[in-house]
Amino acid sequence: MGSLFKWEMKQTFSSKSFWILGAALVALPSLLLLLTLFFADEYSGYNAFLEGLNNYNAFVIFLIGVFAGIHVTGAFEGRKIQSAVMAGNSRFNILMAKFLSFITSVGIYSVVAITISSVIAFSMQGINGFDDSFARAVIVRSLVFTAVEIAYSATCFFASMLVRHLGGAIGLNLGLMLISDIAVQILFSFDWMIKYLNYIPAAQTMLVLGDISNENIARSLVSSVVACALVVALSYLKFRREELK
């Protein structure tokens, strides 16, 4: 599978869509943060940092589904998946290589975007306003937030496995991301739902902004791993029975 993963990453890095969407996911949240800080002086460096994370998640909702559609559905339309199967590779290894290249890409987007927005936040507003140590409030939170974003984005990977038309996959992904985000915000108004939302990556993209306790870090990471494992399992159940044409 290692050679398949290397081939997938090579294909990903040579794709214009990877760089165009990556540039958008990095630049747009940073530009929005700059505009926010320009017109609002009351932000501390820490609050500006959190605003940057929130901005990034907002653009993930709108753009990551496009990348997933191109990355997964586009590979079927371009017969890259079919060629890999015909070359004698197992379907599970093909799926895992595709999934690992997808989450690696999302991880790269997240780390770069968060780093740039953090530099903007602290350089403009100062390194202040923390309710915890810098390492925990910023570095640990950023890493956990990245893991949660990967798990949240993985939903689009599975959705793209269900649709063989690129436009349809992108539309489905956008709908799923928007609906899940809105649904989670509505459910937060019910106190009895919070204990369940703690284990949903879509909800943790919001919860991590306010709760970086050991308990919530554990919940975030466990729910992220479980969500990714579930996506792989469901995607494989679909793919192993797929009639490739």
Side-chain angles (χ1 to χ4, degrees), residues 39-230:
F39 291 106
D41 295 333
E42 69 273 12
Y43 278 83
S44 66
Y46 179 55
N47 287 336
F49 160 73
L50 295 177
E51 184 72 15
L53 296 184
N54 188 56
N55 289 348
Y56 175 70
N57 183 61
F59 284 102
V60 163
I61 291 171
F62 287 98
L63 295 177
I64 206 65
V66 179
F67 175 69
I70 295 171
H71 192 75
V72 181
T73 306
F76 280 99
E77 287 190 346
R79 300 192 60 79
K80 295 178 182 178
I81 300 293
Q82 294 88 327
S83 297
V85 173
M86 293 298 292
N89 297 291
S90 73
R91 295 197 178 200
F92 180 75
N93 286 343
I94 293 171
L95 175 70
M96 282 302 300
K98 177 65 68 176
F99 180 72
L100 289 175
S101 65
F102 174 77
I103 64 173
T104 299
S105 299
V106 176
I108 291 172
Y109 291 158
S110 301
V111 169
V112 175
I114 292 170
T115 299
I116 292 177
S117 65
S118 299
V119 170
I120 292 172
F122 294 123
S123 62
M124 290 185 66
Q125 304 302 115
I127 304 177
N128 52 51
F130 299 106
D131 54 6
D132 209 329
S133 66
F134 181 88
R136 188 178 190 85
V138 176
I139 298 175
V140 173
R141 177 178 271 113
S142 296
L143 293 174
V144 174
F145 186 78
T146 296
V148 171
E149 287 291 354
I150 289 173
Y152 186 27
S153 300
T155 304
C156 293
F157 182 92
F158 176 63
S160 297
M161 292 291 296
L162 301 176
V163 183
R164 288 293 172 265
H165 184 270
L166 181 56
I170 292 173
L172 176 60
N173 289 338
L174 177 59
L176 284 174
M177 295 295 276
L178 282 172
I179 290 171
S180 61
D181 182 69
I182 294 171
V184 164
Q185 293 188 53
I186 293 173
L187 292 174
F188 267 126
S189 62
F190 301 98
D191 292 338
W192 61 273
M193 278 298 302
I194 294 179
K195 62 181 179 180
Y196 301 108
L197 293 173
N198 282 331
Y199 296 96
I200 300 175
Q204 279 292 352
T205 60
M206 306 173 198
L207 290 171
V208 167
L209 299 183
D211 185 359
I212 200 63
S213 64
N214 290 337
E215 293 78 8
N216 198 52
I217 289 174
R219 286 193 295 263
S220 299
L221 295 179
V222 169
S223 63
S224 296
V225 171
V226 171
C228 287
L230 186 60

